[in-house]
Amino acid sequence: MNKRIIMVLVLATAGLLSGCSSDYVMATKDGRMILTSGKPALDKSTGLIRYTDEQGNEKQINGNDISQMLKR
């Protein structure tokens, strides 16, 4: 019985934590749609937007190339 309760608590905690991160869609001026995992961040010194794609790879794109950014 205790194992079942612990398993339920672990799954509930994992579900709550995964629900806290917000994903975004970035539209570029050339028509591409970039899906991100988490909120993209602007590096003010370089003008690049740093983001993590859905596969977990960290990438950057020029902020001038982004036309719109929406929270999913």
Side-chain angles (χ1 to χ4, degrees), residues 20-69:
C20 291
S21 66
S22 298
D23 297 333
Y24 284 77
V25 177
M26 295 188 296
T28 63
K29 291 180 180 176
D30 64 0
R32 292 182 295 142
M33 298 296 235
I34 300 172
L35 304 175
T36 71
S37 177
K39 185 175 182 178
L42 175 65
D43 183 351
K44 292 181 182 179
S45 63
T46 62
L48 296 175
I49 295 177
R50 181 182 307 259
Y51 65 95
T52 305
D53 66 11
E54 290 186 309
Q55 289 77 33
N57 302 315
E58 242 187 66
K59 297 186 176 184
Q60 293 181 333
I61 188 169
N62 190 332
N64 293 330
D65 294 338
I66 302 297
S67 64
Q68 192 173 27
M69 191 180 309

